[in-house]
């Protein structure tokens, strides 16, 4: 008995780590699980938010899904009011932190609660991954996933994931059989970061090599079942899906994938992850297949930021998993803003916007300061790092200003002395003695 108790206690940390990285759902009695992909909501920009949240309510009511996947850029982090430095300082030095103390109501948290309110009202379980803009406000990427996990209660399946991996929110969701505890399918949720991939400081983010290796290690310990993945920034292979064989839907802009292939696609093929869904490019919603793996976009859901163009309505992608079915063959369609259901037509053979390299989309900052400097600045937009950078910049500027003022003072004193002697000399006149005595 003591031996059993000893091993049970010894295994508790491992069990806790495993639970922190995965959650579970269940197929319905008819052997289906309907997933709604809400992507690029971009809440936080003001006037468009009401239309965005109304759309979410409508598509949830129409589809009644068993799971909602929030596939990144749920909040426009760039819309964070930069003038709220006092609030950010208060959060940093107050009771909030990302290691246990409860989060206070940050700007991002306020927006996040608005994002998930329709899901809670409809009672729909949900899971989130982060987009490139979610970590640009007053919470770090890790903070955002902890927030999403904490405030969602039993409806949120979001997990922060292992602390040693880049970003936040790398985890999986097991889908159980309708009855029983056997795992029948698996959904991988992976963080693709913001900008920069591996040794590349420019271009879009990616599923890092460390995360790819983590997926490999975890999958080796898990039963092999039909699997799919959600990654906000598309893979380089999304380009090939449009260039090669049959494809349905629209390509309204170049694929904004990373400049480096970290090997996730090849690992997905190896592990039987046969569908990868992304967001990020607001004008793309196509679905294609490369080497047996479905590569697809969601439909831009939010009214913030840009797109979709070309007459496309805002909406959400629906995916219907079936027990025992290859996810590459899952039925999928678009539920549109007006309530209609769109089954996407095949793209013509004359494919527009063909490309051979990822659209790296260099920013104005990249051009002005260089990619590495901008990457460092982007990673320093949150918490203690940001304050340290601001303090360092402020101190440096103050010291520089003091040195310049001291130099100017000495220069003025030197110039004043020099001009003073010149003035004295210029005003000297010969002494004249009056003849009248």
């Amino acid at each position: 008995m003591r031996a059993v108790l000893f091993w049970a206690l010894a295994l508790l940390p491992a069990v806790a780590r495993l639970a922190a990285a995965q959650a579970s759902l269940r197929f319905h009695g008819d052997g289906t699980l309907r997933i709604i992909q809400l992507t690029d909501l971009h809440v936080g920009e003001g006037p468009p938010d009401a239309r965005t949240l109304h759309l979410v309510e409508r598509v949830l009511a129409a589809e009644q899904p068993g799971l909602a996947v929030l596939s990144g850029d749920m909040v426009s982090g760039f819309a964070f009011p930069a003038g709220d430095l006092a609030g950010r300082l208060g959060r940093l030095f107050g009771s909030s932190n990302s290691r246990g103390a409860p989060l206070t109501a940050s700007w991002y948290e306020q927006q996040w609660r608005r994002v998930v309110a329709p899901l809670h009202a409809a009672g729909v379980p949900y899971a989130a991954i982060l987009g490139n803009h979610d970590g640009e406000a007053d919470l770090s990427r890790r903070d955002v996933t902890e927030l999403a996990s904490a405030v969602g209660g039993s409806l949120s399946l979001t997990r922060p994931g292992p602390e040693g991996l880049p970003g936040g929110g790398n985890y999986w969701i097991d889908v159980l059989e309708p009855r029983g505890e056997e795992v029948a399918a698996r959904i991988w949720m992976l963080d693709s970061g913001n900008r920069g991939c591996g040794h590349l400081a420019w271009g879009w983010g990616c599923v890092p090599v460390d995360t790819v290796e983590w997926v490999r290690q975890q999958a080796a310990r898990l039963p092999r079942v039909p699997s799919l993945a959600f990654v906000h920034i598309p893979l380089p292979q999304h380009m090939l899906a449009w260039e090669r064989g049959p494809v349905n839907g629209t390509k309204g802009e170049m694929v904004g994938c990373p400049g480096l292939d970290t090997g996730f696609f090849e690992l997905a093929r190896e592990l039987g992850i046969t569908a990868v869904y992304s967001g990020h490019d607001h004008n793309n919603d196509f679905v294609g297949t490369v080497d047996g793996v479905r590569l697809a976009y969601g439909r831009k859901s939010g009214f913030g930021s840009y797109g979709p163009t070309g007459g496309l309505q805002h909406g959400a992608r629906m995916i219907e998993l079936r027990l025992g079915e290859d996810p590459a063959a899952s039925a999928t369609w678009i539920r549109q803003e007006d309530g209609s259901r769109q089954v996407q037509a095949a793209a013509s053979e004359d494919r527009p916007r063909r490309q051979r390299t990822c659209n790296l989309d260099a920013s104005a900052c990249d051009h002005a300061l260089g990619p590495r400097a901008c990457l460092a600045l982007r990673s320093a937009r949150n918490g203690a790092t940001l304050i340290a950078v601001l303090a360092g910049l402020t101190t440096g500027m103050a010291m520089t200003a003091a040195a310049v003022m001291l130099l100017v003072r000495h220069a003025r004193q030197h110039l004043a002395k020099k001009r003073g002697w010149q003035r004295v000399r210029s005003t000297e006149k010969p002494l004249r003695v009056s003849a009248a005595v």
Side-chain angles (χ1 to χ4, degrees), residues 95-246:
S95 61
S96 90
N97 59 60
S98 62
R99 295 295 180 268
L103 295 169
T104 57
S106 70
W107 179 85
Y108 190 98
E109 180 179 345
Q110 295 172 39
Q111 310 311 315
W112 181 261
R113 288 183 180 276
R114 297 172 66 206
V115 166
V116 299
L119 296 165
H120 282 267
V124 176
Y126 61 91
I129 55 173
L130 303 188
N132 48 297
H133 292 303
D134 284 304
E136 292 181 340
D138 57 345
L139 293 181
S140 70
R141 301 181 77 81
R142 181 79 184 181
D143 284 338
V144 170
T145 54
E146 290 183 350
L147 170 71
S149 178
V151 305
S154 61
L155 286 180
S156 176
L157 303 180
T158 306
R159 296 292 182 269
E163 292 190 17
L165 293 181
N170 295 291
Y171 59 104
W172 71 89
I173 302 170
D174 282 339
V175 185
L176 307 180
E177 294 178 337
R179 286 167 288 275
E181 299 302 317
E182 292 293 321
V183 177
R186 183 168 297 117
I187 305 169
W188 292 91
M189 309 288 285
L190 303 174
D191 187 352
S192 55
N194 186 334
R195 294 184 70 88
C197 176
H199 65 276
L200 299 180
W202 63 89
W204 294 112
C206 60
V207 180
V209 172
D210 290 350
T211 304
V212 173
E213 183 57 30
W214 174 80
V215 173
R216 184 191 304 277
Q217 293 173 2
Q218 301 309 307
R221 303 188 299 107
L222 299 170
R224 187 182 178 102
V225 293
S227 300
L228 64 155
F230 288 89
V231 180
H232 178 72
I233 295 175
L235 307 181
Q237 286 74 18
H238 276 72
M239 290 188 300
L240 301 180
W242 182 258
E243 298 293 321
R244 297 182 181 179

Side-chain angles (χ1 to χ4, degrees), residues 326-337:
D326 182 354
S330 295
T332 183
W333 62 92
I334 303 296
R335 179 62 66 176
Q336 302 192 112
E337 176 191 4

Side-chain angles (χ1 to χ4, degrees), residues 27-76:
F27 277 102
H28 298 308
D30 62 355
T32 66
L33 177 65
R34 188 170 289 186
I35 300 172
I36 185 169
Q37 181 190 3
L38 298 167
T39 193
D40 296 272
L41 288 172
H42 281 279
V43 168
E45 297 184 32
D49 293 351
R51 291 187 68 186
T52 296
L53 299 176
H54 180 62
L55 178 144
V56 174
E57 292 171 353
R58 291 195 65 181
V59 295
L60 290 177
E63 294 289 353
Q64 299 184 356
L67 173 68
V69 170
L70 308 176
S71 63
D73 284 356
M74 299 297 100
V75 174
S76 292

